[in-house]
Amino acid sequence: MNALIIAPILIPLATLVLTLLARRHGRLATFFSLAGAAALAAVGLALVVFAAEGRILASQAGSWAAPYGISVVIDRLSAAMVAITGIIGLATVVFALARDDDPARSRGFHPLVHGLLVGVCGAFITGDVFNLYVWFEVLLVGSFALLVLGGGKRRLSGTVVYVVLNLVATMMFLLAAGMLYGASGSLNMALLAQAFAAGEVPATANAAIVLMLTAFSIKAALFPVFGWLPASYHVAWTPISALFAGLLTKVGVYALIRIVTLFWPDAGIAHDVLLWVACATMLIGVLGAAAQVEVRRILSFHIVSQVGYMILGLALATPLALAGAVFYLIHHIVVKANLFFIGGIAARLTGSERLAAMGGLYAHAPWLAILFAIPALSLAGIPPLSGFWAKFVLVKASLDASAWIAAAVALVTGIFTLLSMSKIWNEAFLKPHPAGGISARSAAGLRPALWAVSALAAMTVAIGLGAGPVMDYAVAAADQLAAPQAYIQAVVAAGGR
């Protein structure tokens, strides 16, 4: 069981080493990369099966009791996040098999992708604040290298913005961790949750949590510190930007959910602030998308607006709202990664990402039109796709909590999202191509990309049509978040206390 708990870290780490050793042998490196991503997805799904039974898996490094041993904890939420990380990682590696001439297709791609997955999975399963900081550092190093991979002035400028703001957030996180340790004498999340619940922490500990949540807000691209995301994600190679779009901001959202539900579970001023931040994030993000004229910049602003929905669920802090946030996380990771994949394919076929220079895709590639429509309509919340159920639950939770303004903002954001998706549809798919047609050669070698896109589109449909079991799992995950005693007991028991 301990091997299964630590497998989400060991598998991508071993894959990183193998792909690095085989980097001069392209096919072998690709084989190791595919096998590692598939193994991570399989382990994630196995963890979901265990977590669905209500079990919380916990382990301490060296069997040392907390806070001396490093805690690794897997509950329903972290198991789901590991599984979806493996799935998106596998889709990214498969998509990258498609032939193109992007200079980012280099020997460093596969090791860096799995290095990023190490950091992401580590952040999802750690039970220690300092080690959460360490895993953030690991994923940031991988993301910095991946973002600039292939070079070029455009990528370099986008990377500078990304690096500066994320380093600021990282320094804030480190300072907050130091303050929290000085105030409490521990950084183990379970023991800290006990201390906060008993009122045994000084005011400086609460100040540290405020600083920590601010750092996570930057990493999650919440209002008003979201500008780094649309300035950077659209410049990367398509598989890389899709991986970022699906996972990176969700690590920040996950950290916000984990810290708030453990340390500040009761509704208070922090939840009120988060509610207004969520509303502003939804509106500003979707309005920013409406002003863009490039596909991936539109989609980047929609990441911002959709993160607002997740934080809305956290801010309301009711069991139904938390369930909606969990469901939204699962839905959005799949949908957003897929839209970035499709945006890259559309740009390759038409020769541009600017809407004015695109067109003719419906006539030339009707299969791509169908594959775009599924995640686009899901993002906008059209039934019976996954996005409809995610938005429905959060709007209902808002109305139940008498948060009328939040419910209205969520509905208006959904309408504007549909308008943005319609703009892409009209410009890229329906109107004729300005140059008179699309070259058949532009579609050469795209089959692996279509496999990845089709699989994620099928997942979106499956989550929508099978929303009942997914929602049951999300509700059970929300129950664990709302009542963290089982989480705390699992960590304490794992240390032999």
Side-chain angles (χ1 to χ4, degrees):
M1 190 60 67
N2 286 340
L4 184 62
I5 295 173
I6 204 68
I9 296 174
L10 294 182
I11 289 173
L13 183 60
T15 308
L16 183 160
V17 173
L18 290 173
T19 53
L20 192 61
L21 292 174
R23 66 188 183 278
R24 298 184 183 278
H25 308 279
R27 290 186 178 181
L28 184 59
T30 299
F31 170 78
F32 285 143
S33 187
L34 286 169
L40 179 60
V43 165
L45 293 173
L47 289 172
V48 167
V49 172
F50 277 104
E53 299 173 355
R55 302 170 64 182
I56 296 179
L57 307 179
S59 180
Q60 297 287 132
S63 297
W64 285 63
Y68 305 107
I70 298 171
S71 297
V72 178
V73 192
I74 297 177
D75 60 359
R76 287 188 176 98
L77 176 58
S78 54
M81 298 305 289
V82 169
I84 205 71
T85 297
I87 291 169
I88 297 303
L90 179 59
T92 300
V93 175
V94 171
F95 189 97
L97 297 177
R99 296 198 304 271
D100 63 26
D101 298 324
D102 196 294
R105 179 184 296 282
S106 69
R107 294 171 181 171
F109 170 74
H110 292 294
L112 289 172
V113 164
H114 291 280
L116 179 72
L117 295 180
V118 171
V120 171
C121 290
F124 287 149
I125 68 174
T126 186
D128 182 271
V129 170
F130 182 76
N131 281 279
L132 180 60
Y133 164 78
V134 170
W135 294 123
F136 265 113
E137 285 292 286
V138 171
L139 73 89
L140 282 176
V141 170
S143 64
F144 294 164
L146 282 169
L147 192 59
V148 78
L149 200 64
K153 182 177 179 181
R154 190 165 181 252
R155 282 179 182 159
L156 183 59
S157 63
T159 303
V160 168
V161 176
Y162 178 89
V163 169
V164 169
L165 283 178
N166 274 278
L167 285 180
V168 169
T170 298
M171 291 303 297
M172 293 173 66
F173 186 10
L174 183 59
L175 177 60
M179 291 173 60
L180 189 58
Y181 183 77
S184 64
S186 174
L187 289 176
N188 183 278
M189 293 182 189
L191 298 186
L192 283 170
Q194 286 182 323
F196 272 86
E200 298 174 352
V201 294
T204 50
N206 287 295
I209 297 301
V210 171
L211 186 60
M212 194 177 298
L213 295 182
T214 303
F216 295 153
S217 297
I218 296 174
K219 293 179 181 296
L222 294 180
F223 176 85
V225 282
F226 62 87
W228 61 268
L229 192 154
S232 57
Y233 276 20
H234 70 289
V235 303
W237 184 31
T238 296
I240 296 169
S241 65
L243 182 66
F244 284 16
L247 294 179
L248 291 195
T249 53
K250 312 316 177 301
V251 181
V253 172
Y254 172 87
L256 283 165
I257 293 174
R258 183 65 72 191
I259 295 299
V260 170
T261 55
L262 278 176
F263 301 161
W264 289 344
D266 299 324
I269 187 170
H271 293 80
D272 294 335
V273 171
L274 284 172
L275 183 63
W276 287 106
V277 168
C279 291
T281 302
M282 285 188 280
L283 276 180
I284 298 301
V286 79
L287 292 176
Q292 303 307 309
V293 295
E294 292 184 11
V295 171
R296 284 195 294 174
R297 280 187 66 88
I298 294 172
L299 297 175
S300 294
F301 272 98
H302 277 300
I303 297 174
V304 176
S305 70
Q306 302 298 304
V307 165
Y309 283 96
M310 304 167 206
I311 301 304
L312 172 61
L314 175 61
L316 293 173
T318 65
L320 182 62
L322 288 172
V326 173
F327 193 107
Y328 214 103
L329 270 168
I330 296 169
H331 136 79
H332 186 262
I333 290 172
V334 175
V335 165
K336 184 54 67 174
N338 205 16
L339 282 171
F340 268 75
F341 283 142
I342 295 169
I345 295 174
R348 174 173 169 177
L349 293 176
T350 59
S352 176
E353 286 196 65
R354 293 184 62 84
L355 293 178
M358 301 177 78
L361 284 173
Y362 185 82
H364 179 79
W367 41 268
L368 188 64
I370 296 171
L371 292 173
F372 170 79
I374 292 172
L377 294 176
S378 182
L379 190 74
I382 302 301
L385 299 170
S386 59
F388 167 76
W389 301 110
K391 286 183 170 63
F392 174 80
V393 171
L394 287 173
V395 170
K396 185 180 187 304
S398 300
L399 295 176
D400 290 347
S402 299
W404 315 112
I405 294 177
V409 169
L411 292 171
V412 169
T413 300
I415 294 171
F416 276 96
T417 302
L418 181 60
L419 292 176
S420 288
M421 295 300 104
S422 299
K423 179 169 73 172
I424 295 175
W425 176 264
N426 291 332
E427 293 292 316
F429 288 89
L430 288 188
K431 84 166 195 269
H433 193 279
I438 296 175
S439 170
R441 289 182 299 175
S442 61
L446 277 178
R447 185 172 296 177
L450 296 179
W451 293 341
V453 168
S454 299
L456 293 182
M459 279 191 65
T460 300
V461 174
I463 294 172
L465 297 180
V470 180
M471 183 53 67
D472 289 342
Y473 186 93
V475 168
D479 290 340
Q480 286 183 336
L481 292 170
Q485 291 79 13
Y487 179 99
I488 296 169
Q489 291 170 2
V491 173
V492 172
R497 286 193 175 187

